[in-house]
Amino acid sequence: FFELGGHSLLAMRVVSRVREALGAEVSLRALFERPTVAALAAAVEESLRKDAPQSPPLNAAPRTAELPASFAQQRLWLLHRLGTARAAYNMPGAFRLRGALDLEALGRTLSEVVRRHEVLRTSFATAADGTPAQVIHAPQPFAVPLLDLSDLPAAEREREALRLAALEAQEPFDLTAAPLLRVRLLKLAEEEHVVLFTMHHVVGDDWSVGILVREVAALYEAFREGEPSPLEELPVQYADYAVWQRRWLSAEVLERQLNYWTQQLTGGDPTRGLPVLELPTDRPRPAVQSYKGAVKSFELPEELSRELKRLSRREGVTLYMTLLAGFQTLLHRYSGQERVLVGTPSANRSREEVEGLIGFFVNTLVMRGDLSGDPTFKELLGRTREAALGAYAHQELPFEKLVEELAPERGAEQASLFRVWFVLHDERGMTPELPGLSLEWLEVDTRTAQFDLTLSMYEAGGGIRGALKYSEDLFDADTVAEMADRFARLLQHVADDPSLPLLDIPLDEEGRRSPDYPARGVTYADELEDQFVF
């Protein structure tokens, strides 16, 4: 399975298909340990003999009663009410279209997508018990404002398009007003346009963007030719999932999942507290987070990318696990800490019914890095694999419940459990083909940062690209550029020799070994103790 290009997202889809087709509950770990058809068949037979407990069916819920928000939506709703996040949870995108654009077909296309997906015409109200409720509005034609920049000189209209894209990305949403999706069209020339779209995270995630892109491509082609929609009606909607989630995650299920995470992160003792990452920073942490951020992009050589994939296959791990282990090693070397917590997203779409839905399904997992005893990188890969498989097996616990259990003082904030974030994106299939048009994705600088550091890695073509997003409250650009260089150098060394102990991996060109890099300003340990209480 993994030699054919399988990874954890595809593995979850296999598990979902096995459940749907055969009625068997097979864990993700079973697929990792039995990655052939024959071995997986044996795991299915074992599961059927065990008669494992089944989750309830996900059916359409009646629209006669108040519809609750999902656990994840409830957290973002609370942050919105507190007024702390503003545009930090906007999901912006932009792409350039070259060719003859059919504006009528585009308008019909977007109206149909919003009709199909109730969540895109959902707003949020406060229920009688003070919790958020989803309010689904009737379908309406979706407006796409057009701004004509074609009269400007070529260089100026390009600058203006990028400026408008950045402004659009930073414009906050009002969660009490639908739709929570905006699309703007900029005309640069008769056959050149830039499409800006922004979705609030409360109604979508990265997987949702892929669905949006695919459906726009299919509908635009059909409507341009005067054909009806080729897409089948959706069997359930996001609100149905929210109702199902609250029914399924009963006290017994929540307790079982919470026990795992408490044991994993605190050793079974919630009073022990969680390790706070103490990276050297250029400035002290402000009393109120501004969410201002910037990005440093970098690219790994193609040969190094191939070597990392070969290393992953040899050690029985995914590329994600290898890159996560590398990132935790870097954080360990900067901080000197042996326990490192990194937040990471989980698609949380283990049921076939929700694979085609736009919505906020993604869950947050906390990956615990155990770097004690100066292990070799190969040994760390084994530890990372075990931590990841355990996390995947318990990914249904809403992150909000984990925060309530381990850091109740911090309420809805994710940073109460970790301060850095890691994600590996797979860009395959994200660029649609539109008839008569060529499409090019544009980089949109949101100038926001939800975490101290976010490492995003991207598989594209034969290589791997990376981006380090950082909080400008804490770090200077030069500091993060140096960090990116050291990360690339670290990966090259472990690809060449994974038997290196972590403290022997050179991070600088001169081969410096010491993990103790001088603090440029202050470290987290120097800050007011009441900033984070555990």
Side-chain angles (χ1 to χ4, degrees), residues 4 152 270 367 444:
L4 290 169
L152 298 175
M367 294 297 186
V444 179

Side-chain angles (χ1 to χ4, degrees), residues 174 186 258 325 465 527:
D174 176 5
L186 308 178
L258 272 173
R465 295 186 292 112
E527 299 165 23

Side-chain angles (χ1 to χ4, degrees), residues 335-352:
S335 67
Q337 294 171 263
E338 294 184 338
R339 284 200 304 158
V340 175
L341 302 185
V342 175
T344 195
S346 163
N348 197 29
R349 295 187 187 237
S350 58
R351 301 190 66 91
E352 187 176 3

Side-chain angles (χ1 to χ4, degrees), residues 310-358:
R310 285 194 291 267
L311 170 63
S312 302
R313 286 194 297 270
R314 284 200 311 271
E315 298 302 321
V317 300
T318 62
L319 179 63
Y320 166 87
M321 295 174 187
T322 298
L323 294 172
L324 173 62
F327 186 39
Q328 290 180 324
T329 299
L330 183 76
L331 298 172
H332 165 61
R333 292 290 300 273
Y334 267 81
S335 67
Q337 294 171 263
E338 294 184 338
R339 284 200 304 158
V340 175
L341 302 185
V342 175
T344 195
S346 163
N348 197 29
R349 295 187 187 237
S350 58
R351 301 190 66 91
E352 187 176 3
E353 301 98 318
V354 303
E355 286 182 7
L357 287 183
I358 291 174

Side-chain angles (χ1 to χ4, degrees), residues 154-406:
E156 188 176 341
R157 65 178 176 244
E158 193 71 23
R159 286 195 299 270
E160 181 65 4
L162 293 175
R163 186 186 74 84
L164 291 171
L167 285 176
E168 168 61 28
Q170 296 167 35
E171 181 68 24
F173 281 96
D174 176 5
L175 298 193
T176 66
L180 297 176
L181 168 71
R182 296 192 299 259
V183 179
R184 306 281 188 268
L185 190 61
L186 308 178
K187 181 179 179 180
L188 276 61
E190 194 59 39
E191 294 197 351
E192 182 179 0
H193 295 79
V194 170
V195 179
L196 310 177
F197 68 89
T198 312
M199 180 189 301
H200 195 284
H201 206 349
V202 77
V203 298
D205 51 25
D206 282 347
W207 187 302
S208 299
V209 174
I211 295 170
L212 179 67
V213 166
R214 289 193 299 273
E215 291 198 355
V216 164
L219 291 167
Y220 178 82
E221 182 174 6
F223 292 160
R224 182 173 177 266
E225 299 300 323
E227 301 289 337
S229 168
L231 303 177
E232 295 182 3
E233 287 297 310
L234 298 166
V236 292
Q237 295 284 342
Y238 185 81
D240 303 317
Y241 164 78
V243 172
W244 173 89
Q245 183 192 49
R246 291 183 178 272
R247 186 171 72 249
W248 161 234
L249 293 175
S250 61
E252 181 183 348
V253 175
L254 283 176
E255 182 179 3
R256 190 164 59 244
Q257 297 255 345
L258 272 173
N259 287 342
Y260 167 81
W261 284 106
T262 301
Q263 180 67 38
Q264 178 72 4
L265 299 180
T266 70
D269 181 7
T271 63
R272 177 185 178 190
L274 302 180
V276 179
L277 189 63
E278 297 180 354
L279 294 175
T281 62
D282 296 301
R283 283 171 295 283
R285 184 181 302 276
V288 178
Q289 185 178 355
S290 75
Y291 291 97
K292 292 179 181 177
V295 177
K296 168 61 182 176
S297 298
F298 60 97
E299 189 166 354
L300 303 181
E302 284 196 16
E303 180 54 33
L304 172 56
S305 301
R306 287 192 290 270
E307 290 174 2
L308 291 171
K309 292 175 183 178
R310 285 194 291 267
L311 170 63
S312 302
R313 286 194 297 270
R314 284 200 311 271
E315 298 302 321
V317 300
T318 62
L319 179 63
Y320 166 87
M321 295 174 187
T322 298
L323 294 172
L324 173 62
F327 186 39
Q328 290 180 324
T329 299
L330 183 76
L331 298 172
H332 165 61
R333 292 290 300 273
Y334 267 81
S335 67
Q337 294 171 263
E338 294 184 338
R339 284 200 304 158
V340 175
L341 302 185
V342 175
T344 195
S346 163
N348 197 29
R349 295 187 187 237
S350 58
R351 301 190 66 91
E352 187 176 3
E353 301 98 318
V354 303
E355 286 182 7
L357 287 183
I358 291 174
F360 186 15
F361 292 93
V362 67
N363 195 21
T364 294
L365 305 180
V366 186
M367 294 297 186
R368 176 179 178 268
D370 176 9
L371 300 102
S372 60
D374 193 20
T376 66
F377 189 76
K378 184 175 180 178
E379 291 170 337
L380 179 62
L381 279 179
R383 298 180 187 181
T384 303
R385 180 181 186 270
E386 286 304 301
L389 290 177
Y392 295 151
H394 299 85
Q395 64 177 301
E396 290 186 335
L397 177 72
F399 179 74
E400 298 68 35
K401 294 297 181 182
L402 186 60
V403 173
E404 290 175 10
E405 178 75 10
L406 298 182

Side-chain angles (χ1 to χ4, degrees), residues 15-26:
V15 168
S16 172
R17 295 299 189 276
V18 167
R19 179 193 301 115
E20 191 70 21
L22 305 174
E25 291 288 345
V26 175

